[in-house]
């Protein structure tokens, strides 16, 4: 199996990045992480790129035409697949067009419910009975591309934002690799 050369986009802690790095060290896992891009210079996740000697790039999204820099680097590293792992910026139309059905995102809710930010506080306020995560393709609309995998759990009366986040992230570490395997299972 030829592994897909993959770029992971992050903005913060990078625990999903770390999980994907570990999973991709398995010969049978379909992706090789060849590049990490962060829009945040202080993202803790960059440390994982350094530790595992993966090239990384900081992108200042305030600069005009920053997408060209991203596209240049994706080309340089021959990237054919992109995972958004806690990347808190909107992906440009240009990039989406270039990587149609090749960009996936993980979101901490059962989409289409709770698109956007502050998912856990909104869930609690809404007295939801279930929470979870969704891995989906990225399209032009925020958190709206078709779903690849969803995993859920029941919210109990003791749950708060902190416990919901912890339970959701534990599911994310299963869902993201499973979604990637599902996408490439016939390749
Ligand atoms: C993850 O829980 C992910 O679902 C969420 O950010 C977290 C990043 O954690 N993504 C979004 O909210 C995107 N809308 P990590 O940096 O530890 O992987």
């Amino acid at each position: 199996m030829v592994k897909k050369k993959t770029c992971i986009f992050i903005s913060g802690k990078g625990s999903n990045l770390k999980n994907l790095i570990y999973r991709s060290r398995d010969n049978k896992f379909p992706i090789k992480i060849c590049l990490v891009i962060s829009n945040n210079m202080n993202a803790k996740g960059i440390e994982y790129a350094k530790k595992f000697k993966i090239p990384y790039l900081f992108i200042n999204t305030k600069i005009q035409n920053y997408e060209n820099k991203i596209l240049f680097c994706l080309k340089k590293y021959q990237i054919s697949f992109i995972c958004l792992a806690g990347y808190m910026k909107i992906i440009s139309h240009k990039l989406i067009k270039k990587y149609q059905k090749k960009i996936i995102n993980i979101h901490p809710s059962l989409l289409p419910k709770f698109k956007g930010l502050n998912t856990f506080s909104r869930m609690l306020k809404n007295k939801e009975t279930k929470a979870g995560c969704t891995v989906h393709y990225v399209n032009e609309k925020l958190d709206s591309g078709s779903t690849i995998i969803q995993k859920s759990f029941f919210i109990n009366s003791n749950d708060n934002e902190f416990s919901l986040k912890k339970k959701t992230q534990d599911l994310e570490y299963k869902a993201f690799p499973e979604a990637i395997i599902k996408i490439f299972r016939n390749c």
Side-chain angles (χ1 to χ4, degrees):
M1 181 198 54
V2 181
K3 283 178 175 259
K4 305 283 172 237
K5 292 185 179 177
T6 299
C7 175
I8 314 286
F9 282 55
I10 61 165
S11 295
K13 193 169 73 158
S15 64
N16 279 286
L17 166 65
K18 179 184 168 198
N19 182 50
L20 291 177
I21 291 174
Y22 278 111
R23 291 300 303 263
S24 63
R25 294 168 87 191
D26 178 347
N27 282 340
K28 292 195 194 89
F29 197 66
I31 63 165
K32 176 178 162 67
I33 301 171
C34 299
L35 182 64
V36 172
I37 290 181
S38 173
N39 67 311
N40 171 10
M41 213 183 320
N42 301 315
K44 209 179 142 229
I46 288 293
E47 293 307 316
Y48 299 118
K50 288 183 187 164
K51 185 171 170 194
F52 292 93
K53 300 195 172 19
I54 299 167
Y56 60 90
L57 174 75
F58 165 68
I59 288 289
N60 182 353
T61 53
K62 291 191 180 90
I63 285 172
Q64 236 192 354
N65 290 330
Y66 70 89
E67 298 101 329
N68 290 342
K69 198 172 167 190
I70 293 180
L71 285 166
F72 176 84
C73 278
L74 295 175
K75 195 171 173 193
K76 180 175 165 195
Y77 289 95
Q78 300 174 315
I79 300 299
S80 61
F81 188 63
I82 294 172
C83 298
L84 308 183
Y87 184 66
M88 307 310 272
K89 280 272 158 196
I90 304 280
I91 293 287
S92 72
H93 296 318
K94 208 171 174 178
L95 189 54
I96 291 173
K97 229 173 146 192
K98 189 108 189 162
Y99 282 85
Q100 283 279 346
K101 277 258 173 188
K102 301 279 190 297
I103 310 177
I104 65 171
N105 178 45
I106 189 148
H107 185 77
S109 79
L110 298 170
L111 291 173
K113 284 183 161 184
F114 304 105
K115 296 174 182 178
L117 299 174
N118 306 318
T119 49
F120 305 120
S121 60
R122 288 190 284 142
M123 274 174 211
L124 291 169
K125 208 171 158 196
N126 225 36
K127 300 203 183 327
E128 291 294 313
T129 54
K130 271 171 125 188
C133 64
T134 306
V135 183
H136 65 94
Y137 287 104
V138 172
N139 66 10
E140 256 82 11
K141 289 190 195 144
L142 180 72
D143 299 329
S144 296
S146 58
T147 294
I148 302 155
I149 269 182
Q150 217 163 37
K151 283 191 184 287
S152 66
F153 63 91
F154 285 103
I155 298 176
N156 66 49
S157 53
N158 298 324
D159 274 318
N160 52 35
E161 282 183 46
F162 181 82
S163 67
L164 289 183
K165 184 173 177 178
K166 164 87 178 77
K167 289 178 190 178
T168 302
Q169 288 214 313
D170 285 346
L171 280 187
E172 289 186 347
Y173 306 145
K174 296 191 179 96
F176 222 165
E178 275 181 34
I180 292 168
I181 289 169
K182 189 174 171 189
I183 290 169
F184 295 113
R185 75 185 152 197
N186 296 323
C187 292

